[in-house]
Amino acid sequence: MSAASSSPAPSPQQSAAARSSRVCLNCRRKKKRCDKALPSCGRCTYSLQVCQHEDDIGLPGGAGMPGPIRFESFIGQVVSPTRTYTPVLEQLVSPQPLGPRWSILNPSLFASMDANEDINSFACRCLSDILGQRQGIEHVVTSYFSGVNTWFTIIERASFDAHLKDMWVVPSAETAVLTLCMRLIIRTPNAVNPAAGMSDSLYLSAKTMLSLVQSKVALSIPLLQAELLVAMYEFSHSMPQQAYMTVGRCFQISKAFGWHHDLFWGEERQTRVPRELKLCSILWWAIVYVDCLIHVSYQDQKYPMHTANLHWDFSIPFPESFDQYLPGSLAFGFQGQAQSSSSSPSPSTGYLDANIDHIDGMVWPEATSAWYLSNVLQQLGNPTPPAAADRNMLSGAITAHTINVLSGNWKRGDRTAAVGTNFIALMKVNQPGLISGSGVPSSATTPTTTTTTMAGTSLLGLTSVTPGNSDPRPVETIRSVISSIYSASLNTEQAEPRLRNGGVAPCGAFSMYYASLLLISHGGGVLQDQDWLRKVEGFKKTLEAFGRRWKIADRYFESISIALGNRLGNFSA
């Protein structure tokens, strides 16, 4: 599992007749000692390069032999196969520049597809070469489950830990590539070159290894989970085209698994394999979730949604639908309301996510949030806009789900992904009402109680109103949502450790961005917000902090600056 500290010694069976009289071209170029073994010297065999000699060039077929890839022209430096790395654990999660390990790629990662080495051993060797020894790899896994997996809960830790333990005995390409994708999503942007994007070597390594493994092994749940982590990374770091393509692959994998047929989710299977189906349901709604975020966040790119307009005569169940068949689970209802079940995972604490490491106790209210946002985007995208009554009904359902999630007792995080997604959906579905809304005085409203929210602060409760002659509900709902987002943004400093660790979802950045645009356009008008400019400036400040973790926030910051400059007539804003 670790990189060799010296070149492979020639085999005892190699005779003197099986040696070349000349040093191979690769060893000569690198100025390394060559053992002159044939048909390939030890160094070329280890690095999976084609071993050539000057004599080969003039021989029949020699001109057609592929030469060694010159990685220097792409990345400036080639990693020597004899180099040994011993990473410091702090460097694995540090936001500081990570040094040579992350600035160069090992050329063995781009080896020939028909290499003799087993794909499982190859993937594990690459993982060790990139991340270091076992202690560092396990530290990456711990950081992932304490951060990103608290809101993008797509991996069951109990089963993954078992697979990781087995990997040290029996190498597994699937476990290795999934671990590398965990490392990718938890890493903060490069402080030296925050706009690296496609030139980020760790990103390229993860994408390449994932492609290699997919070409050698059958499709599996771990490979789909790895694709989803890559898609989330691409979305949150301003790579919309790459994210769109990755989500498309996830969608096709779900079709290959048979998820698009009602028999797969039949009642007989639900009672027989509820755990497997619950995980499949989580992954399907994770695909919908990322698909919606890409569509709503990059509307200028006009990427159509993969998961829209499927015209099914059935709907894929939500994850909590299978809890009735899982003893020890705590059912989490369709609207996010905790429901009683046969037994609670933690009767003493009442945490809804107390048993999240096991599939029985995994809860993912983001599935319902994804369903709502998908409905909003599809309704607004129809040639015939939805009626006001339909918008109000959908808005009320999203509001109820948001309040139930906020009022839940969460041990790990506070479901920022569900809350942030719901805020986006509420602003989108109610925005048409800003044009027809009357801005009725808020005395017609009845506020709900204050709840605890995204950044661990108190948010204003969402508001319900009694309609008058002109329905004020869209205006009042957007006012309440913007106030809630702004209240959460005030505690950015307290949330900084969680944000740095990946515990705050990137959709929060878009909710601040969209709220800013609404304030710039309507803050002094129908929204009647005298503090709209101060709130926009506060959102910009918070987005700067988000940008140190999710680079997509930098894009939103620049867009807000341009819109605000146009509004104020100051293009340097």
Side-chain angles (χ1 to χ4, degrees):
M1 293 292 295
S2 62
S5 59
S6 61
S7 301
S11 171
Q13 286 76 17
Q14 291 174 329
S15 63
R19 293 179 181 274
S20 170
S21 60
R22 305 290 297 274
V23 174
C24 79
L25 298 180
N26 287 334
C27 292
R28 176 181 295 179
R29 175 171 52 84
K30 298 178 182 179
K31 297 181 180 180
K32 298 291 185 180
R33 183 183 181 89
C34 181
D35 60 16
K36 303 179 183 180
L38 292 176
S40 177
C41 73
R43 288 187 181 276
C44 290
T45 299
Y46 178 84
S47 59
L48 299 175
Q49 292 181 298
V50 177
C51 187
Q52 286 186 288
H53 303 79
E54 291 182 352
D55 304 318
D56 299 330
I57 299 177
L59 295 177
M65 293 180 63
I69 300 176
R70 296 296 299 268
F71 286 91
E72 295 90 335
S73 61
F74 297 99
I75 58 179
Q77 183 180 359
V78 177
V79 179
S80 170
T82 63
R83 186 173 181 180
T84 302
Y85 291 98
T86 306
V88 180
L89 292 184
E90 286 75 9
Q91 293 177 345
L92 295 176
V93 293
S94 172
Q96 302 300 322
L98 296 176
R101 166 177 294 280
W102 305 108
S103 61
I104 52 180
L105 291 172
N106 192 326
S108 66
L109 195 59
F110 298 87
S112 172
M113 297 297 292
D114 59 354
N116 292 329
E117 185 176 8
D118 175 73
I119 186 60
N120 295 293
S121 300
F122 176 75
C124 291
R125 178 165 61 84
C126 288
L127 177 68
S128 179
D129 187 54
I130 295 172
L131 298 186
Q133 305 302 316
R134 178 170 181 170
Q135 188 178 12
I137 293 174
E138 291 177 344
H139 189 80
V140 166
V141 173
T142 300
S143 299
Y144 167 79
F145 280 105
S146 64
V148 173
N149 205 65
T150 60
W151 54 267
F152 198 50
T153 314
I154 64 172
I155 302 176
E156 181 194 14
R157 181 165 191 177
S159 61
F160 179 83
D161 285 346
H163 293 154
L164 184 64
K165 183 179 179 180
D166 293 340
M167 188 182 72
W168 306 114
V169 180
V170 181
S172 168
E174 296 161 303
T175 304
V177 73
L178 182 54
T179 304
L180 184 59
C181 292
M182 288 179 179
R183 179 64 189 97
L184 176 68
I185 192 67
I186 68 171
R187 190 182 61 156
T188 55
N190 191 310
V192 175
N193 185 15
M198 284 290 293
S199 63
D200 180 6
S201 61
L202 180 59
Y203 168 70
L204 294 177
S205 299
K207 292 275 285 188
T208 303
M209 184 188 290
L210 184 55
S211 297
L212 286 171
V213 173
Q214 287 174 332
S215 70
K216 290 287 188 177
V217 304
L219 291 176
S220 63
I221 292 296
L223 293 183
L224 176 57
Q225 292 168 326
E227 287 277 14
L228 280 168
L229 292 182
V230 171
M232 179 56 70
Y233 175 86
E234 292 167 336
F235 156 74
S236 58
H237 292 285
S238 291
M239 290 186 279
Q241 178 177 326
Q242 292 75 24
Y244 180 77
M245 298 296 290
T246 303
V247 171
R249 286 193 296 274
C250 294
F251 180 79
Q252 294 302 324
I253 292 173
S254 71
K255 289 182 65 177
F257 285 160
W259 296 357
H260 297 198
H261 299 284
D262 56 348
L263 293 179
F264 183 90
W265 308 97
E267 185 175 354
E268 185 272 334
R269 284 179 54 83
Q270 291 188 28
T271 58
R272 182 164 51 87
V273 287
R275 290 178 176 84
E276 289 80 355
L277 290 182
K278 181 177 181 179
L279 181 57
C280 293
S281 173
I282 289 174
L283 295 178
W284 165 253
W285 290 109
I287 296 173
V288 176
Y289 177 75
V290 182
D291 193 27
C292 289
L293 290 182
I294 294 172
H295 182 78
V296 75
S297 301
Y298 298 100
Q299 290 189 342
D300 56 324
Q301 308 286 341
K302 299 189 183 304
Y303 292 123
M305 291 174 60
H306 296 283
T307 57
N309 301 319
L310 296 178
H311 304 293
W312 292 344
D313 56 359
F314 76 101
S315 59
I316 293 181
F318 289 97
E320 61 270 13
S321 302
F322 306 96
D323 288 341
Q324 58 182 315
Y325 306 108
L326 300 174
S329 65
L330 180 65
F332 202 73
F334 176 78
Q335 297 294 337
Q337 180 65 50
Q339 299 172 347
S340 60
S341 64
S342 57
S343 61
S344 171
S346 181
S348 60
T349 64
Y351 289 121
L352 296 173
D353 56 349
N355 196 29
I356 198 174
D357 290 342
H358 299 269
I359 188 65
D360 291 28
M362 286 177 66
V363 291
W364 208 58
E366 288 78 8
T368 304
S369 300
W371 185 83
Y372 280 134
L373 181 57
S374 178
N375 273 269
V376 169
L377 296 178
Q378 292 183 62
Q379 285 192 20
L380 297 179
N382 288 335
T384 303
D390 294 333
R391 294 199 310 268
N392 289 337
M393 182 179 299
L394 184 56
S395 176
I398 301 172
T399 298
H401 178 244
T402 306
I403 293 175
N404 286 329
V405 173
L406 291 176
S407 60
N409 192 14
W410 303 100
K411 182 179 181 180
R412 307 179 188 183
D414 43 27
R415 313 315 301 197
T416 59
V419 175
T421 303
N422 285 351
F423 283 163
I424 295 170
L426 284 169
M427 288 186 287
K428 293 289 290 184
V429 75
N430 286 286
Q431 183 181 1
L434 294 182
I435 300 175
S436 58
S438 63
V440 174
S442 58
S443 59
T445 67
T446 305
T448 64
T449 57
T450 302
T451 53
T452 304
T453 79
M454 298 191 295
T457 183
S458 294
L459 288 187
L460 300 178
L462 296 175
T463 307
S464 59
V465 297
T466 302
N469 295 330
S470 181
D471 190 357
R473 282 177 290 186
V475 174
E476 291 296 341
T477 298
I478 289 182
R479 284 176 182 167
S480 182
V481 168
I482 292 178
S483 296
S484 298
I485 298 172
Y486 182 69
S487 297
S489 70
L490 296 178
N491 281 328
T492 304
E493 293 183 1
Q494 291 86 337
E496 183 71 24
R498 289 180 48 235
L499 178 62
R500 186 171 58 251
N501 193 39
V504 179
C507 66
F510 181 81
S511 66
M512 288 184 285
Y513 162 70
Y514 201 69
S516 298
L517 295 186
L518 292 178
L519 288 172
I520 292 172
S521 300
H522 305 285
V526 65
L527 290 178
Q528 299 181 358
D529 192 335
Q530 297 180 353
D531 294 331
W532 71 266
L533 182 58
R534 178 172 59 87
K535 290 179 180 177
V536 171
E537 293 294 347
F539 287 142
K540 289 180 61 179
K541 182 178 179 180
T542 304
L543 285 172
E544 286 186 294
F546 262 74
R548 293 191 288 271
R549 185 58 185 85
W550 309 112
K551 289 194 292 185
I552 193 174
D554 293 335
R555 182 175 186 263
Y556 298 149
F557 178 91
E558 295 174 1
S559 298
I560 293 174
S561 298
I562 294 173
L564 185 60
N566 292 335
R567 172 70 170 79
L568 300 178
N570 176 14
F571 294 92
S572 62

